[in-house]
Amino acid sequence: TAGAEDGPGQQLELDEDEAACCRWGAQHAGARELAALYSPGKRFQEWCCVVLCFSLIAHNLVHLLLLARWEHTPLVILGVVAGALIADFLSGLVHWGADTWGSVELPVVGKAFIRPFREHHIDPTAITRHDFIETNGDNCLVTLLPLLNMAYKFRTQSPEALEQLYYPWECFVFCLIIFGTFTNQIHKWSHTYFGLPRWVTLLQDWHVILPRKHHRIHHVSPHETYFCITTGWLNYPLEKIGFWRRLEDLIQGLTGEKPRADDMKWAQKIK
């Protein structure tokens, strides 16, 4: 299992010359090329998204706490659990989609959003070398719209109306946003084996967030299972019913596209 962190569990068949050139990790030719595609423009976008996202999180959290009542507790707990489950499923859906379909060559989304997924399979520990901005910038972008909508409600609705009509729902949405925002940070922690805070390792050990051993299963080539990376709670049941495989068969039957073709292309680069 330790090798799963360094590269796919099933190596591609290469001749001796190719094997000498092709290494999983930062020295892999594909990994170097993909890392070089991280641009100043992308960095600026991530900075803007992180600053705006966490400003809105702080604003909305303050308003939710001001509206909190003890009688809301059961619904808040239900909202936390539901938010974690749905965030886990959505993380799997996005992860599966970006891993399985599309290409780095696609306009706009290719270099900006698909590129990190291709790099991650060739160099799984690259994410541990990314700082907070690079790790979380894209997730912050995704959660901006619901955060802005929540902030708008807090600015335009009366406290009474919010408490009666919106509070339990907004708590659920806020928990979903928090889990979604921190999904890639949780993913990064699942690849980090040294220096994690004790509270993070406890959450991993209790399976509140994605455990390290659990996520290793995904990093066995050809990376076709255990896509959920927020809590990992849904990985086993989705695998048991063949959810991702059935979805891939359906899309391949409709489009003729082969799953993970672009992922394999980058893995096979040796120069």
Side-chain angles (χ1 to χ4, degrees):
T1 54
E5 273 303 287
D6 301 321
Q10 299 173 7
Q11 300 290 343
L12 300 170
E13 292 186 4
L14 303 171
D15 61 32
E16 290 183 4
D17 291 336
E18 288 175 322
C21 298
C22 184
R23 292 182 178 182
W24 302 109
Q27 300 308 311
H28 186 284
R32 294 198 305 270
E33 185 175 342
L34 288 163
L37 295 175
Y38 183 65
S39 67
K42 175 65 175 172
R43 180 71 174 182
F44 178 72
Q45 169 250 304
E46 290 171 346
W47 261 105
C48 293
C49 291
V50 169
V51 171
L52 183 55
C53 176
F54 281 91
S55 298
L56 288 168
I57 285 175
H59 172 274
N60 293 337
L61 177 60
V62 169
H63 282 78
L64 284 172
L65 291 175
L66 290 173
L67 292 170
R69 302 290 183 272
W70 281 111
E71 55 267 27
H72 294 145
T73 302
L75 287 175
V76 170
I77 294 173
L78 181 62
V80 171
V81 175
L85 280 169
I86 294 177
D88 198 41
F89 177 74
L90 292 176
S91 76
L93 191 64
V94 171
H95 188 187
W96 166 81
D99 271 7
T100 309
W101 311 105
S103 165
V104 176
E105 283 74 33
L106 286 174
V108 184
V109 298
K111 290 182 180 178
F113 300 107
I114 295 177
R115 177 197 65 82
F117 291 87
R118 300 293 177 269
E119 180 188 15
H120 185 59
H121 283 172
I122 304 170
D123 183 9
T125 57
I127 192 172
T128 67
R129 302 188 296 274
H130 296 169
D131 65 7
F132 187 85
I133 301 299
E134 186 174 357
T135 299
N136 298 289
D138 288 341
N139 289 62
C140 288
L141 172 63
V142 171
T143 56
L144 280 180
L145 190 59
L147 283 168
L148 285 166
N149 181 59
M150 186 180 294
Y152 175 77
K153 288 181 182 178
F154 285 135
R155 298 295 292 178
T156 58
Q157 299 285 339
S158 68
E160 293 76 16
L162 286 167
E163 184 178 343
Q164 292 178 6
L165 301 176
Y166 296 111
Y167 188 80
W169 171 255
E170 295 303 332
C171 282
F172 157 71
V173 172
F174 188 75
C175 290
L176 175 58
I177 289 169
I178 292 298
F179 278 108
T181 299
F182 284 98
T183 286
N184 217 33
Q185 184 66 50
I186 293 169
H187 181 205
K188 176 179 177 177
W189 287 333
S190 76
H191 285 277
T192 305
Y193 284 82
F194 304 99
L196 284 177
R198 180 60 178 158
W199 64 271
V200 172
T201 59
L202 285 174
L203 290 176
Q204 290 175 332
D205 293 342
W206 296 336
H207 209 149
V208 176
I209 61 175
L210 184 68
R212 289 169 287 187
K213 290 183 179 179
H214 181 94
H215 186 53
R216 286 181 189 173
I217 298 170
H218 173 72
H219 279 276
V220 175
S221 184
H223 312 286
E224 60 185 6
T225 188
Y226 276 48
F227 291 100
C228 299
I229 54 172
T230 303
T231 64
W233 297 346
L234 294 178
N235 280 321
Y236 182 75
L238 290 175
E239 177 65 16
K240 289 298 289 183
I241 65 174
F243 181 81
W244 305 114
R245 184 179 64 257
R246 294 172 190 270
L247 203 53
E248 288 171 15
D249 290 345
L250 175 62
I251 293 173
Q252 187 173 11
L254 292 172
T255 67
E257 293 292 324
K258 185 179 179 181
R260 286 171 289 280
D262 189 65
D263 196 44
M264 187 61 67
K265 180 189 78 173
W266 286 97
Q268 290 175 323
K269 279 182 175 286
I270 61 173
K271 294 182 180 179

